[in-house]
């Protein structure tokens, strides 16, 4: 049986990855310090799967794991703008020292490595849609830089380990992703709007809502990550859904799908909020034969029902 380490395995994407790997008969060691990850995301795996092991640990501290490891997936980092602004130093540390530690573990174990990078490496992009050849437009000292620059460093050190030690490394640039297990109030637009619409609260559009995003359903993303993990690629690969819409259109779509009477209100636009974002996924299509299968509407329906269930349970983690 192959064995994988998933750093950040109790997070939104990390926990979906743990489930996916187990479904492929790969045993999983999940490492998470639970700063933004939640034990409830993996509780069912801890209880039910003998091939799943949880280790509470901060990967910014040295990592020791005995036995062979075939794959190391580094998905450890706060990822919501609200979270990384709340934990700026932790975000910088996990994207730098943390990745240094997971890469050294990869070297010791002669494993295959994948780092979760992000569309944020493109900053407020001047090229649209964004392809992997674009170097980005990031404010190095702005409030978002703790995440953007940490991820740019993470890509740089990954490529250095690939070149110097000939490690088998992969870089996935993840665009906006949504689905079950997002925290109801992690501050990102998808949970915010769904939560507000379901509770009948005002839907808060930042700025005038003309900024664009493209949203990918999590099962599509995880499928793409696995395809990349087992591929021969070493260059960064964008994964995301190229269906682009404005945030105001998105607010209206959520209102309609939830039959909500919430009003849409406008709030200040956060500093350095990217004006437009849409992945060019030609590379993923060509190299991995991957493209999203779930439409935005379908994905939102699944996510809304999941949030409805969550809101019903007494211990909803609000
Ligand atoms: N946004 C918004 N209302 C909210 C939360 C976010 O209008 O309640 C906007 C935010 O300013 C950004 C977009 O939605 O333009 C996506 O924000 P998110 O925090 O989900 O992630 P980002 O793509 O900025 O990393």
């Amino acid at each position: 049986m192959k064995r994988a380490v998933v750093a950040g395995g109790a997070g939104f994407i990390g926990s979906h990855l743990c489930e996916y790997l187990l479904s492929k008969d790969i045993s999983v060691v999940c490492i998470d310090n639970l700063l933004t990850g939640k034990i409830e995301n993996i509780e069912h795996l801890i209880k039910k799967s003998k091939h799943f092991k949880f280790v509470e640990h901060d990967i910014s501290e040295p990592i020791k794991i005995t036995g062979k490891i075939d794959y190391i997936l580094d998905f450890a980092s706060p990822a919501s703008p609200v979270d990384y602004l709340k934990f700026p130093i932790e975000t910088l540390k996990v994207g730098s020292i943390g990745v240094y530690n997971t890469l050294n573990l990869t070297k010791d174990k002669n494993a295959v490595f994948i780092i979760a990078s992000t569309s944020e490496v493109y900053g407020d992009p001047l090229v649209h849609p964004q392809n992997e050849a674009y170097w980005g437009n990031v404010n190095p000292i702005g409030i978002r830089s703790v995440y953007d620059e940490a991820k740019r460093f993470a890509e740089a050190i990954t490529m250095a380990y690939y070149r110097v030690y000939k490690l088998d490394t992969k870089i996935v640039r993840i665009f906006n992703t949504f689905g079950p297990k997002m925290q109801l109030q992690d501050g990102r637009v998808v949970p915010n709007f769904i939560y507000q619409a379901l509770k009948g609260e005002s839907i808060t559009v930042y700025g005038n809502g003309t900024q664009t995003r493209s949203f990918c359903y999590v099962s599509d993303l995880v499928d793409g990550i696995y395809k990349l993990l087992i591929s021969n690629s070493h260059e960064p690969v964008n994964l995301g859904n190229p269906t682009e819409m404005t945030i105001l259109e998105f607010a209206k779509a959520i209102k309609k799908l939830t039959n909500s009477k919430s009003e849409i209100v406008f709030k200040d636009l956060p500093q350095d909020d990217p004006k437009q974002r849409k992945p060019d996924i030609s590379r993923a299509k060509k190299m991995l034969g991957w493209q999203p299968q779930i439409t935005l509407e379908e994905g939102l329906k699944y996510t809304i029902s999941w949030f409805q269930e969550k809101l019903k349970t007494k211990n909803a983690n609000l």
Side-chain angles (χ1 to χ4, degrees), residues 184-195:
L184 294 177
Q185 290 189 317
D186 83 351
R188 281 185 277 201
V189 70
V190 177
N192 266 16
F193 284 4
I194 296 179
Y195 180 82

Side-chain angles (χ1 to χ4, degrees), residues 72-119:
I72 297 181
L73 301 88
D74 189 344
F75 281 69
S77 176
S80 142
V82 171
D83 285 341
Y84 57 72
L85 298 183
K86 191 161 142 202
F87 300 113
I89 309 292
E90 291 86 346
T91 303
L92 281 160
K93 276 178 76 180
V94 77
S96 53
I97 303 166
V99 182
Y100 172 72
N101 286 335
T102 52
L103 278 166
N104 283 332
L105 185 66
T106 303
K107 185 162 148 269
D108 289 349
K109 303 287 182 180
N110 196 22
V112 178
F113 178 82
I114 186 165
I115 179 69
S117 186
T118 165
S119 52

Side-chain angles (χ1 to χ4, degrees), residues 79-82 84 118-120 144 147 176 182 186-193 196 203-207 209 211-213 215 247-248 250 267-270 273-275 277:
S80 142
V82 171
Y84 57 72
T118 165
S119 52
E120 285 284 325
R144 292 175 92 102
Y147 185 63
N176 293 67
M182 284 188 110
D186 83 351
R188 281 185 277 201
V189 70
V190 177
N192 266 16
F193 284 4
Q196 291 162 342
I203 299 179
T204 54
V205 168
Y206 300 158
Q211 71 272 35
T212 67
R213 293 292 186 275
F215 299 99
I247 292 301
L248 184 56
F250 188 61
K267 301 261 181 194
D268 289 345
L269 188 67
D273 197 278
K275 285 183 266 314
R277 183 181 290 156

Side-chain angles (χ1 to χ4, degrees), residues 39-52:
I39 204 82
E40 67 186 60
N41 287 342
I42 50 166
E43 239 161 12
H44 60 299
L45 302 177
I46 296 174
K47 278 188 197 138
K48 283 199 194 127
S49 175
K50 62 178 195 297
H51 299 302
F52 182 81

